[in-house]
Amino acid sequence: MTRRQQTKKRMPPRITRPSPFITPAIRVLETRLELSIEHRPGQPVRCAIDVTALLRKLIGDADREHFVALYLNTRHYVTHVHMVSRGTTQSALVHPREVFKGAYLANAAALVIAHNHPTGDVRPSPEDRAVTERLKQAGELLGIDLLDSIVVGPGTEFYSAVEDRILTDTASSSLEVASGS
């Protein structure tokens, strides 16, 4: 062994400090939902209707597109909400890296993605379908299930990719099928 190698061996391990930009980002993701209890699902997410009230509260009436990821634990309770992207009136930029970075920081077992259409037409565009498929493939690779992709609007209608149709959220919490795709 050379002298230099011996000197390196004797040095104590270097302690590094986290970047000042990383700590606030982690703190934001670790923040629990701060919505009132009536808007937070008190039961596991089993279908799209279980999270539509929460999504409407967050992004339903926004004047431009917002893309949100709801992170769920192994029992499918919503633990974290992450605003992935705020876009324009017609689109929001979404990349799997941003969606799944939050999922890992939240220790999510599954996720539901959602965005709004400010125009009120909740039918998904071809780009919406492509993003959903890309995120589904990324989730399969990473071991985090994508349970649904939901599109909400300012009204009571919403689109669920799992149901593959437009549904109406009525006041009585029952679902009605709306005419459309």
Side-chain angles (χ1 to χ4, degrees), residues 1-14:
M1 232 186 233
T2 67
R3 249 184 174 187
R4 187 177 178 138
Q5 289 172 334
Q6 288 176 352
T7 307
K8 276 188 173 181
K9 262 189 161 179
R10 283 186 250 145
M11 294 178 75
R14 186 174 167 207

Side-chain angles (χ1 to χ4, degrees), residues 5 8 11 14 19-20 22 31 34 41 44 49 72 79 87 90-91 98 103 116-117 121 149-150 153 159 164 175 181:
Q5 289 172 334
K8 276 188 173 181
M11 294 178 75
R14 186 174 167 207
S19 164
I22 298 296
T31 303
E34 293 182 13
I49 193 69
L72 295 88
T79 60
Q90 298 175 348
S91 67
E98 302 304 319
N116 66 319
H117 282 178
D121 182 9
S149 176
I150 299 170
Y159 174 84
D164 195 26
L175 286 179
S181 99

Side-chain angles (χ1 to χ4, degrees), residues 12 37 40 84 108 111 115 138 156 177:
I37 196 70
R40 185 174 178 184
V84 177
L111 68 120
H115 72 282
T156 59
V177 177

Side-chain angles (χ1 to χ4, degrees), residues 136-159:
K136 186 175 182 178
Q137 290 172 353
E140 289 170 358
L141 181 67
L142 298 172
I144 300 174
D145 296 329
L146 175 61
L147 300 182
D148 203 351
S149 176
I150 299 170
V151 181
V152 296
T156 59
E157 289 186 341
F158 66 94
Y159 174 84

Side-chain angles (χ1 to χ4, degrees), residues 8-177:
K8 276 188 173 181
K9 262 189 161 179
R10 283 186 250 145
M11 294 178 75
R14 186 174 167 207
I15 298 173
T16 60
R17 294 187 180 175
S19 164
F21 301 106
I22 298 296
T23 305
I26 292 172
R27 198 171 304 126
V28 166
L29 284 168
E30 288 179 346
T31 303
R32 300 282 176 182
L33 285 171
E34 293 182 13
L35 297 171
S36 58
I37 196 70
E38 65 267 9
H39 294 293
R40 185 174 178 184
Q43 65 219 18
V45 174
R46 292 188 193 99
C47 61
I49 193 69
D50 292 340
V51 293
T52 54
L54 172 63
L55 293 171
R56 279 194 209 299
K57 177 85 171 158
L58 289 171
I59 60 174
D61 292 328
D63 63 343
R64 53 193 168 146
E65 281 201 17
H66 290 68
F67 190 93
V68 175
L70 304 175
Y71 301 124
L72 295 88
N73 63 15
T74 55
R75 295 181 185 238
H76 291 178
Y77 284 88
V78 176
T79 60
H80 295 78
V81 175
H82 178 51
M83 183 74 66
V84 177
S85 175
R86 289 186 180 124
T88 65
T89 56
Q90 298 175 348
S91 67
L93 183 63
V94 180
H95 194 279
R97 173 182 56 240
E98 302 304 319
V99 174
F100 288 99
K101 175 177 66 173
Y104 273 109
L105 290 172
N107 292 323
L111 68 120
V112 173
I113 57 170
H115 72 282
N116 66 319
H117 282 178
T119 61
D121 182 9
V122 295
R123 288 179 294 194
S125 66
E127 293 82 12
D128 293 343
R129 292 179 191 274
V131 166
T132 298
E133 186 56 35
R134 187 171 182 200
L135 290 173
K136 186 175 182 178
Q137 290 172 353
E140 289 170 358
L141 181 67
L142 298 172
I144 300 174
D145 296 329
L146 175 61
L147 300 182
D148 203 351
S149 176
I150 299 170
V151 181
V152 296
T156 59
E157 289 186 341
F158 66 94
Y159 174 84
S160 167
V162 170
E163 297 284 333
D164 195 26
R165 60 184 175 176
I166 295 174
L167 303 165
T168 302
D169 180 6
T170 61
S172 63
S173 294
S174 62
L175 286 179
E176 295 177 5
V177 177

